[in-house]
Amino acid sequence: MHPRSRLKRPVYVYKRRSLDGDLKGSRKGGHSKPSFKSFLKGHRKKLIYLLIIFVIFLALVPPATYLYFAKDLRDKDSIMNRGKTGLTLMDRSGKVFYTFYQPKSISYVSLEDIPKTAQVAVVATEDKNFYTNGGFSIRGIMRAFFVDIFAGKLVEGGSTITQELAKNAFLSQSKNILRKYQELVLAAELNRRFSKQDILEMYLNSVYFGEGAFGIENASQAYFGKPAKDLDLAQSAILIGILPAPSAYSPLSNPPDKAIIRQKIVLTEMVQDGYITQDQADAAENETLQYNPNKTQTTKFTAPHFATYVRDQLIKQYGEERVIRDGFEVTTTLDRNLQQFAQNSVKTQVTRLKYNHASNGAAVAIDPKNGQILAMVGSYDWDDPSYGQTNMAVAPRQPGSSFKPIIYGRALEDKQITAATVLQDVATTFDGGYKPLDYDKRFRGDVTVRRALSNSLNIPAVEVMQKVGDPNGLDQARKMGITTLSNTTNYGLSLVLGTGEVPLLQMTDAYATFADEGTYHPTISILSIKDKDSQTVSAPTNWVTAVLSFFNPQTWFTSVGSNGATEAMSKEAAFIISSILSDNNARAEEFGSAMTINRPAAVKTGTTEDFRDALTIGYTPSLVVGVWVGNNDNTPMDDVAGSLGAAPIWRNIMEFQLMGTPIEHFDIPSFIVNETVCPTETYKSYTEYFIDGTQPDSCGQPTSYPTFTPEPTNDAGTPTSQPTLTPTALQQLPTATPFATPTTPAVPTLVFPTAKIP
């Protein structure tokens, strides 16, 4: 036996737990755990190689950085004029449709024309050792390092004024180790080449103050409508105070109280450093500030609500200064032709409905296969001074009956119902004394799930909600991307009728889950981002992770616009919902042909109490469109239901976008079967789709369903006759074929119902 073969790894044997709760153990083999010293000894070569690579990296970055930027370090003009700013948005074909803060020129002023109060304020708050450091501060860097380590992310950079100038003039605003090292190199070179006065002058003329204003002259004009040389102490302190987070502290875009708090911090620092007296600080704090009423406006082109939505996403992820200073050029998911048609459709319909006291509308179109937003109309007219710039596509509103398919889908998923389950549309008192009524206040007696959902009957829907339960209903909504419903709110049985508030965008994306066979795709609006140097922009992860992955830079980033799809519902349950919602004959009882288009399409309306909201959401396998009509202030409309107010817009958008495309059907999953449903007193024998295992046995009674004891009703509450409409278009067919043969697509025209004239 080889001598080393006797060496074994330590084996731990744990004894019983002692009275004080400690585990008493011993080791066999007589070997201790590997020490850190032995670890270093075993990996000595690897560590030496890594150290050599790191030293080479440290040695090469400074000369490479200097050579790359040398031509721009010659004088102040070359530093200040380097690169463009602004945000450019392009549609999915690469054509520009909206710009923010572009082009933006910097109004340069000399240090003599910048008030002394502003100069000392920025030194007191941003870099107390500015006049004595060598361009960077080791103490500041170490302090920031430990702050960031404990925070688990980069929250403090430890940068001096010179470093900030180097970053603003030469580097991107991304946060990674290489950029930070380059920043130190450039700061040291700037400090060597220029005086402190020149550096301070360049910094105050290039730093971002928010509201699209770069430099103190632009900022003074934007916030106070005056030249920078006329700023007093109070105004200077405001401008310097908002520098750490201009978008959060700007008194033009936020409550002025935030800027006032920042002003007080700046004044306090100036007093402590001896630049001003306490009396001067008090006088500045007590000064009543008058802000410039002519706030900087964006340049308006196509799709302003979508553009603002994308801009806000970018600012949230990257920060406003980086987005603008790095000159982001963003390719979005927008289909410009569809957007323009949708805007015209919404405006035309809302104009027709103004005599019905409907003043606004919104529409969203999504590709259900990937969650890409193809169009977003936030209001009927962006230029409406009252509420045109409020994006109603992302404002939470009650979705009404459009919420029902989510609950029905969960009940199908959990095999609590089938499409042939018989529900009771009778006067019923549910738990807690809840007594819902149908839209027309009629009672139809026994109804199948297909008939109940396709005709949007309320009482049967509440019966299904009682089977599903509030927690499971909320869980299903969250799986389908709805985030605005509170976990702590007891919505109760009325949840199925859409009493919880959900934005149109999220409701439309939830329907996209049905369209893509139960797969949920989070909505995305951005396909790619490039900076002013045509470099692809990626989103950095937590910087601690970046440190650990230093020698594998690919792990520093996650792809922009990544869209993690998840299974929110089985293909079978999603298919049955699509089958019911696309059954034109089944919904004809209540809706006629109001929602029928030139091809198979699943569609559902929603109308809230007192006609405060009217919705229509529908889809094919390749397109989902949601439409809302109502009033921003939640006042009732005059008899405008979803089928009257929103459906015409939905129908025209769908037909426009699908014109000339192949007709699609909803694929039948492998575990869907069609079986004959036995005749009853109400219904003739017909075939229906079932999830395999839930179908009835050879025309026997379907699965046993719980029933509800109806309330006694008087003659006035009893239907005059038993409805005889067959529940589906499939009843006389030997096999289930839920889709009628569509007509050849024609060029859609805007067709709207006649509004009621007072």
Side-chain angles (χ1 to χ4, degrees):
M1 181 180 293
H2 194 280
R4 291 188 178 182
S5 64
R6 294 182 180 181
L7 295 177
K8 297 181 179 180
R9 296 181 66 181
V11 178
Y12 289 84
V13 179
Y14 290 101
K15 297 180 179 180
R16 65 185 179 182
R17 191 177 296 273
S18 64
L19 292 176
D20 60 4
D22 294 328
L23 285 174
K24 304 297 182 180
S26 61
R27 290 192 297 269
K28 286 186 176 182
H31 297 285
S32 61
K33 291 183 178 180
S35 65
F36 181 69
K37 184 177 181 180
S38 64
F39 171 81
L40 292 177
K41 184 176 180 181
H43 296 80
R44 180 179 300 171
K45 288 185 177 180
K46 292 181 181 179
L47 293 173
I48 290 175
Y49 290 149
L50 290 175
L51 181 61
I52 292 173
I53 293 172
F54 184 66
V55 171
I56 293 174
F57 170 79
L58 292 178
L60 291 179
V61 168
T65 301
Y66 176 80
L67 289 174
Y68 184 80
F69 293 108
K71 65 181 183 300
D72 297 314
L73 285 165
R74 296 190 306 270
D75 51 43
K76 289 192 289 186
D77 288 341
S78 61
I79 293 173
M80 296 303 299
N81 294 328
R82 191 179 186 279
K84 64 181 180 181
T85 63
L87 169 62
T88 302
L89 301 182
M90 297 174 286
D91 64 16
R92 62 193 306 110
S93 66
K95 296 181 179 179
V96 176
F97 72 90
Y98 212 102
T99 61
F100 291 93
Y101 315 120
Q102 185 182 18
K104 178 67 69 175
S105 60
I106 297 176
S107 300
Y108 195 95
V109 292
S110 65
L111 196 64
E112 289 76 15
D113 289 329
I114 300 175
K116 194 70 175 178
T117 54
Q119 297 179 37
V120 296
V122 74
V123 171
T125 55
E126 300 289 313
D127 186 3
K128 292 182 181 296
N129 299 316
F130 169 68
Y131 289 105
T132 58
N133 63 44
F136 57 87
S137 170
I138 298 298
R139 178 183 298 179
I141 293 172
M142 294 304 297
R143 182 188 69 250
F145 175 79
F146 287 108
V147 169
D148 295 341
I149 285 291
F150 285 112
K153 58 182 179 180
L154 204 156
V155 294
E156 184 174 331
S159 297
T160 63
I161 287 175
T162 313
Q163 286 176 257
E164 286 294 313
L165 175 62
K167 178 184 69 175
N168 294 341
F170 300 101
L171 304 172
S172 74
Q173 301 294 309
S174 61
K175 298 178 180 179
N176 59 65
I177 295 175
L178 174 61
R179 190 205 58 77
K180 194 67 177 178
Y181 190 29
Q182 289 179 309
E183 179 185 298
L184 296 178
V185 173
L186 291 170
E189 184 62 19
L190 285 172
N191 194 71
R192 187 183 71 82
R193 286 174 175 254
F194 298 96
S195 68
K196 291 293 185 180
Q197 288 73 21
D198 286 340
I199 292 173
L200 184 61
E201 179 183 294
M202 287 188 287
Y203 174 75
L204 285 171
N205 276 285
S206 62
V207 67
Y208 183 61
F209 286 88
E211 304 298 338
F214 288 90
I216 194 166
E217 178 68 17
N218 288 29
S220 181
Q221 294 288 352
Y223 286 95
F224 300 109
K226 61 168 61 176
K229 64 181 181 180
D230 295 334
L231 292 171
D232 61 19
L233 174 59
Q235 294 165 338
S236 295
I238 283 285
L239 292 182
I240 301 304
I242 66 176
L243 282 178
S247 60
Y249 298 138
S250 166
L252 302 186
S253 299
N254 302 283
D257 292 348
K258 293 184 177 181
I260 295 300
I261 293 173
R262 292 295 308 166
Q263 178 199 51
K264 186 173 183 179
I265 293 173
V266 172
L267 293 172
T268 300
E269 294 285 344
M270 294 175 71
V271 171
Q272 291 176 351
D273 292 350
Y275 292 116
I276 60 173
T277 66
Q278 186 61 54
D279 289 341
Q280 290 174 315
D282 292 341
E285 285 185 37
N286 293 328
E287 181 179 328
T288 301
L289 296 174
Q290 298 295 326
Y291 298 107
N292 183 12
N294 299 318
K295 177 183 172 182
T296 303
Q297 297 293 324
T298 60
T299 304
K300 181 168 69 69
F301 298 110
T302 302
H305 287 109
F306 179 75
T308 305
Y309 174 80
V310 173
R311 181 201 63 185
D312 292 346
Q313 284 189 316
L314 291 168
I315 290 175
K316 182 178 180 180
Q317 186 170 10
Y318 298 98
E320 183 179 18
E321 182 174 0
R322 182 184 177 189
V323 169
I324 299 173
R325 190 182 289 280
D326 281 5
F328 275 19
E329 295 181 351
V330 182
T331 302
T332 71
T333 59
L334 186 75
D335 183 322
R336 190 199 300 242
N337 291 334
L338 177 60
Q339 174 71 28
Q340 291 175 337
F341 185 87
Q343 286 179 186
N344 292 336
S345 297
V346 171
K347 186 168 187 176
T348 301
Q349 173 69 337
V350 171
T351 301
R352 288 176 177 269
L353 292 173
K354 65 180 180 179
Y355 293 111
N356 296 71
H357 303 104
S359 62
N360 208 358
V364 173
I366 296 174
D367 185 338
K369 299 183 186 301
N370 49 38
Q372 294 180 12
I373 301 172
L374 304 176
M376 176 187 288
V377 181
S379 70
Y380 89 103
D381 186 355
W382 170 270
D383 293 323
D384 186 294
S386 300
Y387 43 74
Q389 296 184 23
T390 300
N391 189 350
M392 296 306 293
V394 297
R397 302 284 293 206
Q398 289 188 350
S401 292
S402 65
F403 198 83
K404 289 174 182 175
I406 296 173
I407 303 301
Y408 275 90
R410 181 57 179 257
L412 287 164
E413 178 83 356
D414 294 342
K415 297 181 174 57
Q416 295 171 307
I417 61 171
T418 70
T421 297
V422 176
L423 305 171
Q424 294 184 333
D425 186 28
V426 296
T428 307
T429 300
F430 292 92
D431 293 344
Y434 183 45
K435 301 178 181 180
L437 292 174
D438 290 334
Y439 171 78
D440 56 6
K441 296 180 174 59
R442 293 173 51 210
F443 303 108
R444 294 159 180 81
D446 290 347
V447 293
T448 63
V449 162
R450 180 176 289 271
R451 181 183 175 193
L453 178 56
S454 61
N455 290 282
S456 198
L457 304 181
N458 290 340
I459 299 172
V462 175
E463 183 179 342
V464 174
M465 183 70 214
Q466 185 157 285
K467 298 172 187 288
V468 172
D470 206 48
N472 289 335
L474 292 172
D475 175 67
Q476 188 60 47
R478 284 190 290 271
K479 287 181 178 180
M480 299 172 75
I482 293 174
T483 62
T484 56
L485 298 180
S486 171
N487 292 330
T488 59
T489 301
N490 181 19
Y491 295 98
L493 297 177
S494 65
L495 176 66
V496 72
L497 304 184
T499 54
E501 294 188 339
V502 183
L504 177 66
L505 179 63
Q506 291 189 9
M507 281 301 302
T508 306
D509 196 32
Y511 273 61
T513 302
F514 296 128
D516 198 33
E517 301 179 313
T519 299
Y520 164 68
H521 299 272
T523 54
I524 60 173
S525 58
I526 298 169
L527 296 178
S528 65
I529 306 172
K530 291 187 177 181
D531 61 19
K532 61 190 176 186
D533 298 319
S534 298
Q535 299 297 312
T536 298
V537 176
S538 298
T541 62
N542 178 319
W543 98 235
V544 175
T545 303
V547 172
L548 298 176
S549 307
F550 182 77
F551 295 103
N552 183 17
Q554 290 182 347
T555 65
W556 294 3
F557 304 102
T558 56
S559 61
V560 175
S562 59
N563 190 17
T566 58
E567 183 180 332
M569 182 180 294
S570 68
K571 291 182 178 181
E572 292 74 21
F575 169 77
I576 291 178
I577 291 295
S578 297
S579 170
I580 294 172
L581 297 184
S582 62
D583 193 336
N584 294 331
N585 286 15
R587 67 167 168 263
E589 179 182 355
E590 285 294 328
F591 300 105
S593 60
M595 297 178 292
T596 300
I597 63 173
N598 56 20
R599 63 185 62 213
V603 59
K604 184 73 186 69
T605 62
T607 306
T608 61
E609 187 177 3
D610 296 329
F611 302 98
R612 298 176 190 274
D613 304 90
L615 295 92
T616 298
I617 309 175
Y619 57 91
T620 67
S622 60
L623 178 67
V624 56
V625 173
V627 178
W628 169 87
V629 170
N631 297 303
N632 288 37
D633 61 4
N634 211 35
T635 55
M637 296 177 288
D638 193 356
D639 296 330
V640 178
S643 57
L644 170 67
I649 303 172
W650 173 84
R651 185 173 60 243
N652 283 289
I653 293 174
M654 291 288 291
E655 292 190 340
F656 172 84
Q657 184 67 2
L658 297 172
M659 178 176 54
T661 63
I663 294 173
E664 299 176 285
H665 297 271
F666 297 102
D667 292 336
I668 303 176
S670 56
F671 290 101
I672 287 289
V673 298
N674 54 57
E675 295 288 346
T676 301
V677 178
C678 297
T680 66
E681 294 181 2
T682 306
Y683 300 110
K684 299 177 181 179
S685 177
Y686 68 99
T687 57
E688 180 58 271
Y689 285 120
F690 296 89
I691 300 175
D692 195 14
T694 66
Q695 65 269 33
D697 296 329
S698 60
C699 203
Q701 287 297 323
T703 308
S704 175
Y705 310 111
T707 60
F708 297 88
T709 303
E711 289 182 332
T713 58
N714 53 31
D715 293 339
T718 304
T720 56
S721 62
Q722 182 66 43
T724 58
L725 185 73
T726 53
T728 73
L730 318 175
Q731 292 179 329
Q732 306 301 327
L733 300 177
T735 57
T737 55
F739 306 115
T741 302
T743 58
T744 302
V747 178
T749 57
L750 288 173
V751 180
F752 299 102
T754 303
K756 185 170 70 176
I757 307 298

